[in-house]
Amino acid sequence: MTDLNHVVLIGNLTRDLGSDERSFGYVANGQARANVSIAVNRSKRNGDSGQWIDEVSYFDITIWGKTAENLKPYLVKGQKIAVDGYLKQDRWEKDGQKFSKIQIVANSVQLLGGRSDSNQSAGGAPRFQPRNDSMQQMNQPYAADPYGSAGYGATDSDFPEDIPF
């Protein structure tokens, strides 16, 4: 049986790709390489107080080949991405001291959306745009709104304060 080395992460990019020459370039054989870093947020309950606290971890990711070239214009600070890949440990020695670093090598990367709707033109992934009212009326068999003008499940506020989970 073989060992398993598989990582799936979802997080936000910590800097723009191409902001320095180490983040994007071509290796000797002409293959593109992109080095990015993502912040992954995790909420956990504090044992003493019982309150929820956020914990942030940062991961370095290397993207190779056409994937790196194609994603270059879209990998901007704050962009949420999903990464599927594996762990790779680099080891080196400098001035007699041994160093080691673990990074993630991406097999695939998916854009999951931008920082906000206003940043869509600045490299964020396209977002769903609802059709206008005239298109909706043409495709609906009934002209009357059976749920009232506020829509199904509408309340005075968007979210109740006490969600049971």
Side-chain angles (χ1 to χ4, degrees):
M1 182 173 171
T2 62
D3 295 332
L4 178 64
N5 182 355
H6 188 200
V7 177
V8 177
L9 293 171
I10 296 176
N12 297 323
L13 291 169
T14 60
R15 64 184 182 272
D16 291 347
L17 181 64
S19 59
D20 61 14
E21 77 178 38
R22 291 181 302 189
S23 68
F24 185 85
Y26 293 90
V27 294
N29 66 2
Q31 188 176 27
R33 175 210 25 89
N35 291 324
V36 297
S37 179
I38 63 170
V40 177
N41 297 310
R42 176 179 173 259
S43 293
K44 70 177 193 173
R45 192 174 290 245
N46 187 347
D48 296 336
S49 67
Q51 292 191 358
W52 289 95
I53 57 173
D54 286 333
E55 185 178 82
V56 181
S57 298
Y58 299 93
F59 298 98
D60 293 327
I61 299 167
T62 301
I63 307 167
W64 289 98
K66 287 287 186 189
T67 304
E69 289 178 332
N70 293 336
L71 289 176
K72 185 179 179 185
Y74 303 104
L75 296 179
V76 295
K77 184 177 180 177
Q79 174 70 46
K80 186 175 287 292
I81 63 170
V83 177
D84 184 317
Y86 61 92
L87 297 175
K88 181 177 182 258
Q89 183 176 22
D90 290 329
R91 296 179 188 154
W92 67 96
E93 191 173 322
K94 181 177 179 182
D95 299 329
Q97 203 172 19
K98 294 182 179 183
F99 294 93
S100 174
K101 180 179 180 180
I102 296 177
Q103 66 180 353
I104 298 163
V105 178
N107 291 326
S108 68
V109 177
Q110 287 185 320
L111 301 174
L112 297 179
R115 292 177 286 184
S116 68
D117 288 332
S118 63
N119 292 327
Q120 181 177 339
S121 61
R127 294 185 177 269
F128 170 76
Q129 296 293 322
R131 295 186 293 185
N132 62 27
D133 290 318
S134 61
M135 287 297 291
Q136 287 177 349
Q137 288 176 359
M138 287 178 16
N139 293 330
Q140 290 182 356
Y142 304 107
D145 183 3
Y147 300 111
S149 61
Y152 178 73
T155 60
D156 292 334
S157 65
D158 288 343
F159 297 101
E161 290 298 318
D162 51 351
I163 298 175
F165 48 83

